[in-house]
Amino acid sequence: GTQLRKNLIHSSSNSLVRQYSKPTETQNLIKSTVVDQELKYKNEIRAYERGKRRLALMMEKDPETFNDQDIEEALAYLLPSSLFAKDARPMMKHPLELLPKVKAIQVDKDNRPISAGYYTGFPAFYDLIHEIGEREELLMSLILGKAIKDVLQEDITDRQYNYVIARLGRLQQFPNSQHISEFIDKYRRAVEHRLTKVKIRPLNYAGIASSTGKRKAATANIQIQEGSGKIQINDRNLIEHFPLLLHREQALYPLLILNVTDEYDITCTVRGGGPSGQAGAIRLGIARALLSFNEGYKEKLDQYGLLIRDPRIVERKKPGQKKARRKFAW
């Protein structure tokens, strides 16, 4: 009886070892995914080399020295296209440049995925969300969508990108960022602010700066000189021309943000458009004319978008409709 029990225990333990050592469906799926991916890349590279060789022979060139520039010239000669978008034209590039980058699956010694988000379909994305959650008490600067995709090596959706930005924005509200400097630097990307190119006119012999501003159908000719803050618009004062406070603030916005309302006298001649368009035209003309006195104003004015013309105009009326969007009630 004792020997029989030992044999039963030994046989059951061997069956358990065989049961747990047998690969699961998930492990087989991981292996097959990696193998299929490698096989796909190899087949695409083999097809690319074969097509490259045939293209070189058609152009009567050496296939060994046939480079990417030769391929572009050959395609432009054999398949001429007048399409405006370059991406829509015939192209032939190496598969590693065209195929999406897929991050290698990390598995343990038993071939099980290490990442807890593997089964979600976006493991790198959810791993990043988990890391952000662990560092919730610290800050993080916002990053560009392309930088996120380069790090994660996944094509995340716009909704997922907005979710990441929202989580990173919460981190930005907390102190002690030096504790996660490595984590921050991995996703940070410097963005250069380019100043708007504006032609600065010199002062005339009388020390007067002149400029022109446009908005909608309004055009304003501005003349500024150093003074005590007097403003005349079409031979009238500011309040008579703009009864509403909103329009007065819009017209004098460059002076308000620079805090120089009492340092310059302004004479303006404006024609065309309504009060909103005229206020915008005067604002643009004043902002550009102030640069003639001090080029240091340019950075702050450019940050508020006061050196470029507002391109918004009234949408045209459509035939068969009452207005641009409004329909007839029938």
Side-chain angles (χ1 to χ4, degrees):
T2 303
Q3 185 66 28
L4 179 60
R5 286 195 297 272
K6 290 183 178 178
N7 293 336
L8 289 175
I9 293 173
H10 181 70
S11 62
S12 62
S13 63
N14 289 338
S15 63
L16 289 174
V17 170
R18 287 194 299 271
Q19 179 180 357
Y20 285 105
S21 61
K22 184 179 179 180
T24 62
E25 294 183 1
T26 303
Q27 296 172 1
N28 293 332
L29 179 60
I30 294 174
K31 289 183 179 179
S32 62
T33 303
V34 174
V35 172
D36 293 343
Q37 178 184 345
E38 294 178 353
L39 182 61
K40 179 181 179 181
Y41 274 81
K42 289 180 180 179
N43 292 337
E44 293 292 339
I45 293 175
R46 193 179 299 112
Y48 169 78
E49 296 295 340
R50 185 166 55 249
K52 177 181 175 181
R53 183 177 184 84
R54 291 179 179 176
L55 190 61
L57 295 177
M58 292 175 62
M59 301 301 295
E60 298 181 353
K61 292 187 178 181
D62 185 10
E64 301 298 332
T65 60
F66 203 65
N67 53 24
D68 295 339
Q69 184 176 359
D70 295 333
I71 293 176
E72 293 180 2
E73 294 177 356
L75 291 178
Y77 175 75
L78 296 174
L79 302 172
S81 176
S82 59
L83 295 175
F84 178 77
K86 294 183 179 180
D87 296 339
R89 299 175 186 175
M91 59 184 298
M92 182 178 177
K93 293 185 178 181
H94 198 277
L96 296 180
E97 299 180 13
L98 298 178
L99 294 178
K101 297 180 181 179
V102 181
K103 191 174 183 179
I105 303 174
Q106 297 180 355
V107 296
D108 57 10
K109 60 181 181 179
D110 296 328
N111 290 328
R112 294 187 178 90
I114 298 177
S115 174
Y118 170 77
Y119 302 98
T120 63
F122 300 93
F125 168 74
Y126 286 101
D127 288 344
L128 173 60
I129 296 300
H130 180 68
E131 291 183 14
I132 295 176
E134 292 179 347
R135 297 164 174 83
E136 195 78 38
E137 70 278 3
L138 303 176
L139 68 90
M140 173 65 187
S141 61
L142 301 184
I143 54 180
L144 301 178
K146 186 177 180 182
I148 297 179
K149 293 182 180 180
D150 292 341
V151 175
L152 301 184
Q153 296 185 0
E154 290 179 357
D155 291 332
I156 61 176
T157 62
D158 294 339
R159 184 177 181 181
Q160 291 173 334
Y161 168 71
N162 294 332
Y163 181 69
V164 172
I165 294 298
R167 294 295 299 271
L168 298 181
R170 291 173 59 183
L171 295 180
Q172 196 174 11
Q173 302 175 2
F174 297 92
N176 302 328
S177 61
Q178 64 275 12
H179 297 295
I180 57 167
S181 58
E182 296 181 359
F183 179 73
I184 294 175
D185 296 338
K186 185 169 60 173
Y187 297 98
R188 176 179 289 149
R189 173 172 295 183
V191 180
E192 297 181 0
H193 177 67
R194 298 181 180 180
L195 296 177
T196 305
K197 295 182 179 179
V198 180
K199 184 178 179 180
I200 302 177
R201 297 181 179 181
L203 301 176
N204 62 8
Y205 66 94
I208 299 176
S210 60
S211 179
T212 302
K214 294 183 179 180
R215 169 79 169 99
K216 294 184 179 179
T219 303
N221 296 321
I222 307 295
Q223 291 185 347
I224 300 180
Q225 59 183 349
E226 295 181 351
S228 58
K230 296 180 181 179
I231 300 175
Q232 280 192 341
I233 303 175
N234 292 346
D235 298 329
R236 296 190 297 176
N237 59 36
L238 182 65
I239 298 178
E240 291 179 355
H241 190 81
F242 291 127
L244 294 181
L245 177 62
L246 173 64
H247 298 148
R248 294 198 295 269
E249 290 181 347
Q250 284 293 317
L252 303 182
Y253 195 55
L255 301 174
L256 294 175
I257 65 171
L258 296 175
N259 197 18
V260 292
T261 53
D262 298 333
E263 298 182 12
Y264 300 99
D265 292 340
I266 301 175
T267 303
C268 173
T269 302
V270 61
R271 61 183 183 277
S276 177
Q278 291 185 358
I282 294 173
R283 180 183 64 185
L284 178 60
I286 292 176
R288 291 179 175 178
L290 286 174
L291 299 180
S292 301
F293 293 95
N294 188 354
E295 294 187 11
Y297 295 155
K298 183 176 182 181
E299 183 175 359
K300 192 167 186 178
L301 292 174
D302 192 32
Q303 290 179 357
Y304 286 86
L306 300 177
L307 297 177
I308 56 176
R309 178 180 177 179
D310 191 346
R312 298 175 298 173
I313 59 175
V314 178
E315 186 176 351
R316 66 176 293 271
K317 178 187 177 301
K318 309 300 189 305
Q321 298 180 188
K322 190 174 182 179
K323 296 175 64 176
R325 301 292 179 93
R326 183 175 178 82
K327 310 296 189 300
F328 290 108
W330 59 51

